[in-house]
Structures are given as structure tokens and as C-alpha cells.
Amino acid sequence: MTICLSWMIFIMEGQILMILVIMPGVWSGYWSVIFENQCALKGTSVVIKCSYDYPSDHTVTSRWWSKAQYIFGAWSLVPLSRLHTPPDFRYVGDDHGNCDLEINNVRHADEGAYFFSFVTTRNRWTSRNFAELSVKELTAVVQPSTVTEGDHVSLSCVSGCSTPTTIVWFRDGQLVPKPVFRARREDAGRYYCAVLRQETVTSNLVALNVQYRPTNLSVSIDPPQVAQSSGVNLTCSSVANPAAVNYTWYKKTDYSSSMLQVGSGQVLTILSVEASHTGLYLCQARNSVGENNSTEVLLTMTSEEQGSRLLPVLAGVGAFVWVALVIAVLLFWRKRRTCAEEKQTALDSRLSGRGSSSSANEDQSDTVYANIHTFPSPPPLVPAAPDIASHSQRSSRCEHDVPTSYEAEVTYSAVTIKPRNQSLRHHTNNSRAPRDSWSKAGESNDSVIYATVAKSS
């Protein structure tokens, strides 16, 4: 009985010893290794926490990390130095109990079980347990992904790891201040989330579609200047999401403020514009969200054809007026010249007539003496010469047409005709006395002839 009990105690001690050796993080005599499992986001850095212990009379001479790899149908421990090179894996522990391992730029291939081994001056130890690393990714979610302008939107980012992280949001590279907001059309775009201070670690892209009714409606007229009987196109443009699928055209009636539907489609075409087509037009655009109207535009008609018909008439009238003006100027100039010539001819004829009569008198009476007196202004003409009267009748039509500029060059004189004194022939040396007597006689004699004497040019 004693032998059986001793045997049972021996077996139990062996089982307890085996349990102590196999159980992770517990003492196996003086040897132990304690791990913490880690979850990391793809692209981030993570530190696997680790601590180990050994007898105090031992000194650690070397240590390393290994990863379990399934090779040729069996699991094997492969040192990390054979799998990766720094800085992907870096030992950040020491030789006195800290065995932390840092992994940078974590990838899905880094997932798995990691073991720690060390060697002392008297023994070596490999952990019987392992640290498990799981790699996750950020997942962005926009709810709802399609909204109408003014609805609420919620952004959420799922990491898959229980480790708390601070998340920030971006839209098309721009920071989003709040993950919950009321949607505007400017909020449409592609969103992603990232870890604060590790913005290179990003989630997948998700799109937010913000729908709204047509806005910014405008109407263009082509061509802008429309002539009668010509064609014109009115085009309606709008900004909408989704795009407007229905366009309706209206024209304001002349007799009331109501609008009359005149067509449909984005382009309204009028093949031959008439006066009845002119007026105010607007278009209405509609999509699945709603509808909106444009501002009114005025369609006018220019009288281009009528103007083209009047142009030759106006040109002809202008040419006729110009020719008539030229002819009038020429006639006026010719008339002035004719009148001047007639007056000059009349003057020349008077002078030549007087000259001939004086010669005749000289022939008859041998000598005629005249006393000439100059007056400051023209005296009245004496109708003694018939040629002067006839000239007055002939040139009366020119007196008011041609200015008598030549009268400034006329000297008016009184000529006294005296019979020849026979005694003067013998007293030529005493001519002063007779001239004085003649002058006195002329002053008292009524037989005075007034004449005009023109200066020669």
C-alpha cells in the first residue's frame, strides 16, 4: 500500500512538473517567459510586450525571437533574422528580463505565433508558449452613402482591433471636422479614415453622393440678334444631381401674366421667327429630387431685312441731294459771274460812248473845258445819257444778287461844259484867271452833267 501511494505521488509530481513547464507565463523552476497578444493595423507599428526570468546565478549570453512557420508539412521555429531585416523587426528589450519586440510597417504576412529564446552561461531556454499577432485594416463606412441635400450623414471607422485608437477623417485630402453633419452638395466626394499622427495608415475609400434639384438655370439665345423669318435656338442649362431629365419651355402671354407652355427638351428651336414669337421665355428643369425655373429672358426681333431695303433708298436720296447742292452752287457762281460781266460791259460801253461824244464835240467846237469836282458820296444820276437808262433796265436783275464791291473804286465828279472862249487862244499864259472864272461860272451854271469814272485795273 505504501509502495502504491509512493508511486502515485511520483506520478502526480511528474504531472505537476509537466504542467508547470507547459503552462505559459508560469514558473518552471526559475525559468519563465510572459507574453501579451497584440492586434495591429496594417501599416502601423506595434510592440509585442514580453518579460522573462532565469536563475540569479545565470548570465544571459544571447537571445532571439522566432516565428512558427509551416514548412514541408510541419511547424518549425524560424529565427526572425532569417525572415526580415531591420527596421521591420527590432529587439527593444535587454538582458535582464525585458524581451519586447517592435514590428514596423505591419503587414498581413506578419500575422502568426512568435516565440522567445535565450541562452545563459549554464543553460538555454525557449518559451513553451507564444505571443500571437493579428493584423487588421481600417474600414470606413458612410451612412447613408446617397443622401438628399439637407439630410444627416454619419461617418464611422472600424479597425477590428480592441486597442483604442484616435481616428480622423478626410474628404478628397481635406480634413473633415465632424463625423456627423448635415449634407450639402459641397460634401459630395470620397472619404477615408486614418489614425491620428499616423495619417499614412488609411482606410478604404468610400463615396458620398449628395443629390439636389436643378439649380443655376440659365437660358442662352443663338444667335443673339434674330431677324424676321430666320431661325433661333433657345438652350436651357442647369446644375443638378442627378442631371435634369425633363425640360419644359414657357412663354409669357401678352394679355396676362400667366405662362403658356410652348415646347419641351433642353433646346427650343424656332425655325422662322415672326412678331408673335417675341416676348419673355423661361425653362423649367426637373430631376428625381425636384424642379426649378430659370429667370425670364427676352426674345426680340431685329428689322434687318427692312433696313437692308431702305439702305439703297437712303443712299439714292443722299446722292440726289448732293448733286442738287453741287448744281445750285455752280448756277449761283455762274449767275454772279454773268452779272459781273454784264455790269463791266455796261460800264465799258458808257465810257466808250462818252469818249466818242467828247471827240465829236471837240471836232465841232474845237475845244471843251471841264471843271471836275469830287464828292464824298454818289450824287443822284441824271438821266441825260440814254445808255445808262438802258443798262439800268438790263442789269436790274443783278443788283440784288451781286454785291457792288466795285463802287468802292468809283470817283463821282461834276463836269461843267463851257463854250470855248475865243480869247483864250491868245492868252494861254494867263490861264489861271480864266480857270477861276470858269469855276465860278460852273458853280452858278445849271448845265452840269454828273458822270462816273471807273479806275482802270
Side-chain angles (χ1 to χ4, degrees):
M1 185 71 177
T2 302
I3 295 174
C4 292
L5 181 60
S6 298
W7 176 253
M8 291 178 62
I9 292 174
F10 176 78
I11 293 175
M12 291 177 64
E13 288 177 353
Q15 290 176 349
I16 292 173
L17 179 63
M18 186 178 296
I19 292 172
L20 291 176
V21 171
I22 295 175
M23 287 182 63
V26 297
W27 286 91
S28 298
Y30 294 100
W31 304 86
S32 69
V33 178
I34 300 175
F35 299 107
E36 291 182 8
N37 295 331
Q38 295 292 336
C39 177
L41 295 173
K42 179 183 176 181
T44 62
S45 297
V46 65
V47 176
I48 297 177
K49 296 295 183 178
C50 172
S51 62
Y52 66 100
D53 198 6
Y54 52 90
S56 58
D57 57 345
H58 289 236
T59 300
V60 176
T61 58
S62 62
R63 66 278 182 285
W64 67 91
W65 281 85
S66 301
K67 183 182 180 183
Q69 296 286 320
Y70 193 76
I71 303 174
F72 301 119
W75 287 97
S76 302
L77 293 181
V78 180
L80 296 182
S81 59
R82 298 181 185 178
L83 297 176
H84 300 277
T85 58
D88 290 340
F89 288 86
R90 188 166 65 94
Y91 183 74
V92 294
D94 53 33
D95 296 334
H96 308 287
N98 184 2
C99 53
D100 291 349
L101 175 66
E102 183 182 62
I103 305 176
N104 297 311
N105 191 22
V106 175
R107 300 167 298 176
H108 284 291
D110 297 331
E111 286 185 322
Y114 290 85
F115 293 82
F116 179 70
S117 303
F118 64 96
V119 177
T120 67
T121 54
R122 300 176 59 181
N123 204 345
R124 60 184 300 163
W125 182 264
T126 298
S127 63
R128 300 293 186 265
N129 59 343
F130 55 87
E132 184 177 3
L133 175 64
S134 57
V135 180
K136 304 295 182 180
E137 290 188 32
L138 291 175
T139 303
V141 178
V142 179
Q143 295 177 336
S145 59
T146 300
V147 295
T148 302
E149 188 174 23
D151 292 348
H152 284 89
V153 177
S154 176
L155 306 176
S156 59
C157 188
V158 180
S159 66
C161 294
S162 59
T163 305
T165 54
T166 303
I167 300 297
V168 289
W169 281 92
F170 295 90
R171 173 181 56 83
D172 298 331
Q174 301 297 321
L175 183 65
V176 178
K178 295 180 180 180
V180 178
F181 53 89
R182 189 180 295 273
R184 303 170 301 168
R185 66 187 65 184
E186 297 84 3
D187 296 326
R190 301 173 71 84
Y191 289 77
Y192 63 88
C193 58
V195 178
L196 182 64
R197 289 187 291 275
Q198 298 186 53
E199 283 76 8
T200 56
V201 181
T202 61
S203 68
N204 58 310
L205 294 173
V206 290
L208 174 63
N209 182 22
V210 181
Q211 296 183 344
Y212 50 91
R213 67 175 187 167
T215 57
N216 300 333
L217 274 74
S218 62
V219 176
S220 60
I221 302 176
D222 184 30
Q225 301 295 330
V226 185
Q228 187 176 6
S229 302
S230 63
V232 65
N233 291 328
L234 280 72
T235 304
C236 185
S237 302
S238 65
V239 178
N241 184 29
V245 295
N246 190 309
Y247 291 90
T248 306
W249 290 91
Y250 296 91
K251 181 180 181 296
K252 193 171 185 179
T253 58
D254 298 334
Y255 51 86
S256 67
S257 59
S258 61
M259 304 301 292
L260 176 66
Q261 181 176 345
V262 293
S264 61
Q266 190 171 4
V267 179
L268 176 64
T269 301
I270 303 176
L271 298 177
S272 180
V273 177
E274 302 296 338
S276 59
H277 294 131
T278 60
L280 294 173
Y281 287 80
L282 65 84
C283 72
Q284 182 185 82
R286 181 184 296 107
N287 64 0
S288 59
V289 180
E291 62 184 29
N292 205 352
N293 295 337
S294 69
T295 57
E296 297 176 350
V297 295
L298 179 62
L299 176 63
T300 60
M301 182 179 63
T302 60
S303 303
E304 183 178 351
E305 295 183 358
Q306 182 179 359
S308 62
R309 291 194 301 266
L310 290 177
L311 184 61
V313 177
L314 295 176
V317 172
F320 174 78
V321 171
W322 185 82
V323 171
L325 182 62
V326 170
I327 293 174
V329 171
L330 291 176
L331 291 177
F332 179 72
W333 176 79
R334 183 177 179 82
K335 184 177 180 180
R336 290 188 59 183
R337 183 176 179 181
T338 303
C339 292
E341 290 177 353
E342 290 179 355
K343 286 191 175 185
Q344 185 63 35
T345 304
L347 182 60
D348 293 343
S349 62
R350 285 202 308 272
L351 294 177
S352 60
R354 288 187 189 279
S356 60
S357 62
S358 299
S359 300
N361 292 333
E362 288 179 0
D363 293 340
Q364 294 175 1
S365 57
D366 190 14
T367 302
V368 177
Y369 295 93
N371 188 11
I372 300 175
H373 299 276
T374 302
F375 296 91
S377 60
L381 296 177
V382 178
D387 55 322
I388 297 178
S390 62
H391 172 69
S392 300
Q393 295 175 358
R394 186 169 60 251
S395 60
S396 60
R397 66 179 183 274
C398 299
E399 292 179 353
H400 63 278
D401 294 332
V402 181
T404 57
S405 60
Y406 70 93
E407 292 180 356
E409 301 177 358
V410 176
T411 301
Y412 297 90
S413 303
V415 180
T416 303
I417 305 300
K418 298 281 290 183
R420 181 172 61 91
N421 191 345
Q422 299 295 334
S423 62
L424 290 179
R425 179 176 301 176
H426 304 286
H427 302 282
T428 54
N429 293 330
N430 299 324
S431 58
R432 181 176 180 87
R435 267 197 296 269
D436 294 338
S437 61
W438 292 342
S439 299
K440 293 178 181 180
E443 291 175 1
S444 59
N445 196 341
D446 294 332
S447 58
V448 178
I449 298 175
Y450 294 94
T452 60
V453 179
K455 294 181 181 179
S456 61
S457 61

